[in-house]
Amino acid sequence: ILYFVADRTISMAEGKKAERWLPIESNPEVMNSFLKKLGVPVDWEINDVFGLDPELLLMLPQPVLALLLLFPITEKYESFAREQEAAMKDVAVSEELYYMKQTISNACGTVALMHAVINSVNSGQISLAEGPLKRFVEATKTLTAEERAVRLEADDDICGAHDEAAREGQTRAPDREDQVDYHFVCFVQVEGGLYELDGRKSGPILKGKCSPDTFLTDAAAACKEYMTRGPENINFTIVALTAKMD
């Protein structure tokens, strides 16, 4: 089972040692446990994506609100990421988009899950129960991406929920200091645009036009773009935030 990457990030709180959370399994059962602890209603859940062919995508419960891609970090990816960021210079993004930086090591999956859920909350598709995530959203809705990262570093409730979920995995979780060379990004549709959200980048990446009806196909194509840059590597995993499976 793959684990969320131990990112090489630095705390944004002045004079503070970089935060490092316990890695968590790339496992829908563990992810759903984490989301439930945050206050995400049981009507929504994370499900495995078994393939990007149309017939396999149709197996997912509808609607699909977000795709999360776990991929290996390579030199090709680092070069691709720089190209993405350069292409976004002077490109406007939706003011309705919720984006936060990632400054906590081992938390890329957590940030991707939060990006998926919070943007679905802001679009009116998910209503959060009282809990850590609802409090976080309300406290950070007017903050910058950097300020949201600092707030997450200090959020003991979300950190605690993360660690509890990490300990529920089927395999031994790596130590906090372990380096795992994988990373998560999230794809969402907001105000007619398909966005890639990665807290390690300088900002959101606008992939192109998109609608709720075309989101799954468009997001799958964005995932394929990653895969074609490393066709020799089979270590890609995709999960989706969807309606609860019947």
Side-chain angles (χ1 to χ4, degrees):
I1 295 175
L2 298 177
Y3 286 83
F4 298 160
V5 66
D7 297 287
R8 300 162 182 83
T9 49
I10 299 174
S11 171
M12 299 186 71
E14 184 177 355
K16 184 178 180 182
K17 183 180 178 181
E19 294 285 341
R20 185 180 294 273
W21 287 5
L22 185 67
I24 190 171
E25 285 183 7
S26 174
N27 176 331
E29 183 176 348
V30 174
M31 293 176 171
N32 287 327
S33 174
F34 173 60
L35 294 183
K36 184 177 180 181
K37 296 176 193 300
L38 293 186
V40 177
V42 295
D43 296 339
W44 302 96
E45 64 183 13
I46 297 294
N47 281 295
D48 282 314
V49 178
F50 294 109
L52 298 176
D53 295 332
E55 60 271 19
L56 293 175
L57 293 175
L58 287 174
M59 294 173 60
L60 290 167
Q62 301 294 318
V64 176
L65 304 184
L67 285 189
L68 287 75
L69 171 68
L70 178 67
F71 60 92
I73 293 179
T74 63
E75 290 184 6
K76 286 184 179 180
Y77 160 70
E78 298 288 8
S79 176
F80 176 45
R82 289 191 292 270
E83 292 173 7
Q84 286 183 305
E85 292 181 279
M88 282 300 297
K89 186 178 181 181
D90 301 324
V91 175
V93 300
S94 169
E95 293 184 359
E96 298 300 315
L97 184 70
Y98 187 99
Y99 173 74
M100 61 187 294
K101 297 289 289 183
Q102 182 201 337
T103 56
I104 302 171
S105 290
N106 297 347
C108 65
T110 301
V111 171
L113 287 168
M114 292 176 68
H115 275 146
V117 173
I118 295 174
N119 279 291
S120 300
V121 169
N122 289 349
S123 66
Q125 294 166 295
I126 292 180
S127 296
L128 293 172
E130 293 298 328
L133 189 55
K134 186 173 183 179
R135 292 193 294 270
F136 183 85
V137 172
E138 291 174 348
T140 63
K141 57 186 176 182
T142 62
L143 300 183
T144 66
E146 292 77 15
E147 290 169 337
R148 290 166 178 166
V150 173
R151 186 65 66 96
L152 181 61
E153 289 184 19
D155 196 309
D156 291 338
D157 291 334
I158 294 179
C159 178
H162 173 101
D163 271 11
E164 285 181 18
R167 299 179 193 281
E168 295 171 5
Q170 298 174 0
T171 60
R172 184 192 70 82
D175 295 331
R176 294 178 192 272
E177 301 304 317
D178 286 353
Q179 291 292 144
V180 186
D181 291 328
Y182 292 88
H183 188 58
F184 254 113
V185 296
C186 173
F187 296 96
V188 297
Q189 186 276 141
V190 176
E191 285 199 319
L194 176 68
Y195 288 95
E196 176 186 325
L197 305 179
D198 178 352
R200 293 181 66 198
K201 292 190 171 78
S202 55
I205 304 297
L206 176 61
K207 302 295 293 182
K209 294 182 179 180
C210 182
S211 71
D213 290 338
T214 66
F215 167 71
L216 188 54
T217 300
D218 294 338
C223 292
K224 288 180 182 178
E225 184 180 9
Y226 270 86
M227 295 176 178
T228 57
R229 290 176 178 270
E232 73 287 349
N233 199 317
I234 62 172
N235 295 317
F236 292 88
T237 301
I238 305 173
V239 296
L241 175 61
T242 77
K244 185 175 178 61
M245 187 176 294
D246 293 331

